[in-house]
């Protein structure tokens, strides 16, 4: 009999977990590729896995062994499948798919007349205290329908069901509170632990707190951690491990790595009711996806409290932990004494303790459990604690502005309203450097026009197609500014710029432009200026999505998963 490996914090052995997850993914048609393994120091592993049909569908795992790391990566893959997170940034319109739901068979649709029936009074007060949130801000980014798709979550205390618009969740919470596990409670403990990890980290950053070091005699109780730290020090990386529990209140750990040859550092946080698990997760997280000779994200500390506490920096810490940290954080002027905390117990006891900690903050826990992938997963929302972005983002920076741009591009072959497209771009207030694909929910093929085009370029193409040559020339200057010197588009844009100036100065000489740019490019440019070719002859409308192989692969995955959901809910 092969040896079975049990680790703290897991309700099944690693071998059974891995076998179950791999079997389920294979049965659902997923082709998992273990694309990149890293083992930079002893007892620290990280793994990047993806689906061979669509590599952007990926997750990363971490652990103190290869098995733990593989289980971590597979678990996150199932988590993001189960919670729909893989598809949250893309156009996955359900039209034509023979179903009357978008996310799950039990989601609900709300019109502008009955939108007040979703959420509940307390939640409306939290998300829209000034009554400014409009119906359009809650429409689903993932389709084009004029109703709000909302999913049910259960209040842990009252058992009340509240329907949360998915647009609200994707704009405010991102992946925070999503998890998978061998059991529902295991998944919930992990999801809630991550919420505490990020909430406590944000509190530390905003309040400029300094944490106490974990004493050596405590660290020495965990041999895997001791060996990993010794390996890091041999490689020239100093390590500081600190108690981030804020005086024993919360199950959070900090590990900060120092690259002394550059004077830079990188702070990671991790959480779990079991001290050892939290410490190991934080250490492996700090090196996830990193080679020791390429420690990206390491930065000099700063002395400006405001720059550390501002929302954008806090968001950077969530995205890749590359945000700034204050110099006081790495000093030994601790604001708390070290506490050798212990929130362990059964998985049920751990969950109840975490919920108690939430209640102490005056907050409520909402949970949705998912089992349609035949592996437990959950989404946890704690209004007032688990937000990644401020609730004002729903009004100030809603993902749905991209929905409006997408609708205009989809209609463009019929409307041919190129001036209207340029006006819409101006009205929506996009940044010139923003990529169009991410704004409209497209998963483009690498190197394609739609993979590379930015807002500045899109505006220039629209004005050129509209025959507004002076405005197009001005827009081209903006577009060229954001082009990389090695961009394949640079010469074409320079040719357009040159020919437009000739046109506006009444100095048109096509033989001269042919001498400068070659006959083929010269002819192309003059045809575009004449309006004979628009958008460089690139696909527009529905074909933007239909001709992207990667987007079609994504759509196929989503449709296959929808069939699994439908079958599960019908049982």
């Amino acid at each position: 009999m092969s040896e079975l490996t049990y680790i703290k914090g897991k309700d099944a052995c690693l071998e059974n977990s891995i076998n179950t997850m791999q079997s389920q993914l294979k049965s659902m048609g997923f082709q998992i590729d273990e694309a990149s393994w890293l083992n930079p120091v002893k007892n620290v592993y990280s793994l990047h896995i993806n689906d061979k049909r669509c590599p952007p569908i990926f997750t990363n795992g971490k652990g103190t062994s290869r098995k733990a790391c593989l289980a971590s990566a597979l678990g996150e893959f199932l988590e993001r499948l189960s919670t729909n997170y893989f598809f949250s940034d893309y156009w996955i319109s359900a039209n034509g798919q023979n179903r009357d739901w978008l996310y799950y068979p039990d989601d609900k649709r709300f019109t502008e007349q009955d939108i007040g029936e979703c959420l509940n009074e307390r939640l409306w007060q939290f998300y829209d205290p000034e009554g400014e949130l409009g119906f359009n801000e809650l429409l689903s980014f993932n389709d084009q329908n004029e109703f709000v798709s909302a999913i049910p979550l259960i209040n842990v205390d009252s058992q009340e069901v509240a329907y949360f618009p998915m647009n609200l969740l994707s704009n405010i919470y991102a992946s925070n509170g999503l998890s998978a596990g061998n059991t529902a409670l295991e998944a919930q403990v992990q999801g809630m632990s991550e919420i505490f990890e990020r909430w406590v980290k944000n509190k530390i950053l905003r309040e400029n707190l300094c944490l106490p070091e974990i004493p050596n005699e405590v660290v020495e109780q965990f041999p895997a951690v001791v060996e990993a730290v010794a390996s890091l020090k041999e490689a020239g990386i100093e390590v500081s491990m600190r108690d981030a529990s804020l005086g024993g209140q919360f199950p959070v750990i900090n590990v900060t790595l120092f690259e002394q040859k550059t004077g830079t550092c990188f702070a990671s946080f991790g959480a779990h009711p079991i001290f050892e698990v939290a410490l190991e997760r934080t250490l492996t997280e700090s090196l996830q996806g990193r080679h020791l000779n390429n420690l990206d994200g390491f930065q000099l500390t700063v002395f400006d409290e405001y720059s550390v506490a501002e929302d954008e920096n806090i968001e950077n810490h969530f995205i890749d932990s590359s945000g700034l940290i204050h110099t006081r954080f790495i000093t030994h002027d601790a604001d708390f004494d070290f506490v050798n905390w212990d929130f362990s117990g059964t998985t049920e006891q751990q969950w109840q303790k975490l919920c108690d900690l939430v209640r102490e903050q005056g907050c409520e826990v909402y949970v949705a459990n998912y089992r349609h992938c035949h592996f437990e997963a959950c989404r946890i929302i704690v209004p007032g604690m688990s937000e990644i972005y401020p609730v004002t983002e729903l009004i100030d920076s809603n993902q749905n502005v991209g929905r409006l741009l997408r609708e205009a591009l989809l209609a463009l072959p019929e409307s041919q309203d190129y001036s209207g497209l340029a006006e819409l771009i101006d009205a929506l207030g996009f940044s010139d450097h923003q990529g169009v694909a991410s704004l409209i929910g497209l998963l483009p093929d690498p190197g394609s026009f739609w993979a590379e085009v930015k807002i500045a370029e899109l505006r220039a193409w629209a004005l050129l197609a509209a025959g507004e040559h002076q405005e197009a020339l001005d827009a081209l200057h903006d577009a060229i500014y954001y082009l990389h010197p090695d961009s394949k588009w640079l010469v074409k844009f320079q040719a357009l710029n040159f020919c437009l100036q000739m046109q506006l100065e009444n100095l048109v000489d096509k033989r001269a432009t042919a001498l400068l740019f070659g006959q083929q490019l010269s002819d192309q440019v003059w045809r575009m200026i004449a309006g004979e070719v628009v958008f460089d002859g690139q696909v527009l409308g529905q074909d933007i999505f239909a001709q992207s192989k990667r987007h079609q692969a994504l759509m196929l995955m989503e449709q296959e998963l929808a069939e699994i959901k439908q079958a599960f809910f019908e049982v």
Side-chain angles (χ1 to χ4, degrees):
M1 177 181 288
S2 61
E3 183 179 352
L4 300 181
T5 309
Y6 291 87
I7 62 175
K8 291 182 178 180
K10 296 298 180 183
D11 292 336
C13 66
L14 291 176
E15 292 78 8
N16 287 351
S17 297
I18 291 169
N19 180 64
T20 298
M21 290 188 283
Q22 288 177 330
S23 297
Q24 290 301 331
L25 287 168
K26 185 176 180 180
S27 70
M28 291 189 290
F30 289 92
Q31 303 170 26
I32 301 300
D33 179 27
E34 296 177 20
S36 175
W37 276 98
L38 290 176
N39 178 207
V41 296
K42 194 169 184 179
N43 301 330
V44 175
Y45 293 82
S46 65
L47 168 65
H48 176 95
I49 64 173
N50 59 46
D51 185 278
K52 293 179 181 179
R53 299 168 297 171
C54 191
I57 298 300
F58 72 90
T59 56
N60 298 303
K62 61 183 181 294
T64 57
S65 69
R66 284 182 68 91
K67 288 181 180 179
C69 184
L70 176 58
S72 170
L74 292 170
E76 187 171 284
F77 202 97
L78 280 161
E79 160 206 310
R80 298 192 170 198
L81 271 181
S82 300
T83 60
N84 249 58
Y85 187 74
F86 274 141
F87 312 108
S88 64
D89 291 331
Y90 302 108
W91 190 44
I92 54 165
S93 178
N95 281 1
Q97 295 182 19
N98 194 31
R99 70 191 208 227
D100 58 0
W101 50 271
L102 182 58
Y103 301 110
Y104 302 97
D106 64 349
D107 62 26
K108 274 191 177 182
R109 295 175 171 180
F110 294 90
T111 66
E112 190 164 7
Q113 288 68 44
D114 64 9
I115 188 63
E117 296 176 17
C118 73
L119 299 173
N120 59 42
E121 187 176 344
R122 297 184 307 282
L123 292 171
W124 276 117
Q125 182 59 34
F126 177 77
Y127 293 115
D128 189 26
E130 303 299 326
E132 300 175 331
L133 190 59
F135 177 74
N136 289 336
E137 280 83 28
L138 296 175
L139 289 171
S140 297
F141 174 76
N142 310 105
D143 69 6
Q144 74 273 34
N145 295 317
E146 292 300 314
F147 48 74
V148 170
S149 291
I151 64 172
L153 283 88
I154 299 174
N155 184 304
V156 166
D157 290 330
S158 68
Q159 295 300 295
E160 170 194 11
V161 176
Y163 284 85
F164 285 73
M166 185 64 94
N167 175 280
L168 182 153
L169 299 178
S170 59
N171 270 283
I172 303 301
Y173 295 99
S175 64
N176 201 22
L178 308 184
S179 190
N182 296 290
T183 64
L185 280 173
E186 181 190 303
Q188 291 170 206
V189 166
Q190 176 58 26
M192 187 73 88
S193 294
E194 291 181 0
I195 287 171
F196 271 105
E197 166 199 323
R198 289 154 182 161
W199 181 74
V200 169
K201 175 169 68 171
N202 293 351
K203 185 178 178 66
I204 290 166
L205 294 170
R206 291 189 190 279
E207 298 180 17
N208 195 19
L209 301 177
C210 179
L211 307 175
E213 294 270 2
I214 302 174
N216 288 335
E217 57 268 25
V218 175
V219 176
E220 287 169 359
Q221 298 174 33
F222 314 119
V225 172
V226 172
E227 291 178 346
V229 170
S231 295
L232 279 166
K233 290 184 176 181
E234 288 175 10
I237 306 297
E238 191 58 48
V239 183
S240 173
M241 292 174 284
R242 303 193 182 211
D243 168 23
S245 69
L246 308 186
Q249 297 181 79
F250 310 107
V252 185
I253 293 290
N254 161 255
V255 172
T256 302
L257 305 183
F258 299 84
E259 188 178 42
Q260 295 179 332
K261 66 181 181 182
T262 61
T264 58
C265 61
F266 181 88
S268 288
F269 290 78
H272 192 274
I274 301 172
F275 189 99
E276 179 181 2
V277 174
L279 182 57
E280 289 183 353
R281 287 184 178 176
T282 312
L283 181 60
T284 54
E285 171 73 24
S286 67
L287 287 170
Q288 188 173 37
R290 286 188 169 87
H291 296 274
L292 291 185
N293 59 357
N294 182 25
L295 294 172
D296 61 308
F298 278 54
Q299 299 208 45
L300 296 168
T301 62
V302 299
F303 293 87
D304 182 358
E305 290 185 39
Y306 175 78
S307 64
V308 174
E310 66 179 352
D311 288 342
E312 184 177 352
N313 190 60
I314 299 297
E315 291 163 13
N316 287 338
H317 273 280
F318 168 75
I319 294 167
D320 58 9
S321 296
S322 65
L324 301 171
I325 62 173
H326 198 277
T327 301
R328 184 171 185 269
F329 179 80
I330 65 169
T331 69
H332 293 81
D333 182 25
D335 293 292
F336 307 92
D337 292 330
F338 168 76
V339 176
N340 194 3
W341 52 264
D342 179 15
F343 298 98
S344 61
T346 65
T347 310
E348 167 71 27
Q349 289 169 334
Q350 292 173 22
W351 169 246
Q352 292 301 330
K353 178 59 179 177
L354 292 172
C355 289
D356 287 343
L357 291 175
V358 170
R359 294 182 189 104
E360 289 173 9
Q361 306 308 313
C363 297
E364 298 177 311
V365 180
Y366 288 85
V367 177
N369 292 107
Y370 301 109
R371 301 178 178 87
H372 52 270
C373 290
H374 302 285
F375 198 78
E376 295 287 350
C378 68
R379 178 189 293 272
I380 302 174
I381 300 296
V382 184
M385 287 185 67
S386 64
E387 292 75 34
I388 296 301
Y389 304 101
V391 296
T392 52
E393 292 278 287
L394 289 168
I395 297 170
D396 298 337
S397 185
N398 196 294
Q399 193 180 29
N400 272 0
V401 292
R403 189 186 204 255
L404 298 174
L405 178 62
R406 181 176 68 218
E407 290 172 355
L409 286 171
L410 290 173
L412 203 55
E414 289 73 35
S415 71
Q416 297 189 14
D417 185 9
Y418 305 112
S419 293
L421 175 60
E423 291 170 2
L424 178 66
I425 291 170
D426 291 339
L428 294 178
F430 298 117
S431 298
D432 284 346
H433 65 274
Q434 285 183 275
V436 173
S438 61
L439 286 169
I440 65 175
L442 170 70
L443 182 56
D445 294 326
S448 66
F449 174 86
W450 290 103
E452 299 182 2
V453 67
K454 300 180 183 65
I455 282 293
E457 298 158 33
L458 184 70
R459 184 171 179 274
W461 287 119
L463 290 167
L464 185 63
E468 299 176 22
H469 291 161
Q470 182 60 62
E471 292 80 2
L473 180 62
D474 295 337
L476 271 171
H477 291 160
D478 295 333
I480 290 171
Y481 176 82
Y482 288 103
L483 283 178
H484 190 276
D486 297 330
S487 171
K488 64 184 179 183
W489 296 99
L490 183 59
V491 174
K492 181 169 287 188
F493 276 25
Q494 288 172 335
L496 274 168
N497 180 69
F498 183 84
C499 293
L500 275 172
Q501 290 191 71
M502 289 189 91
Q503 177 95 352
L504 291 167
E505 295 290 340
N506 294 317
L507 291 174
V508 174
D509 186 332
K510 295 184 181 180
R511 289 181 298 176
T513 56
L515 282 172
L516 280 170
F517 300 106
Q519 192 67 54
Q520 183 179 10
L521 179 55
S522 176
D523 289 345
Q524 288 176 359
V525 166
W526 284 115
R527 290 183 69 202
M528 285 188 274
I529 291 174
E532 297 170 11
V533 175
V534 298
F535 281 75
D536 196 41
Q538 301 293 331
V539 296
L540 295 170
Q542 294 276 351
D543 284 344
I544 295 172
F545 295 86
Q547 293 192 21
S548 169
K549 294 179 181 178
R550 283 197 167 179
H551 196 89
Q552 291 306 303
L554 180 84
M555 289 286 289
L556 178 60
M557 289 181 188
E558 197 278 333
Q559 290 173 28
E560 291 172 345
L561 186 62
E563 292 173 6
I564 292 169
K565 292 175 183 175
Q566 188 70 59
F568 180 84
F569 275 79
E570 288 175 353
V571 173

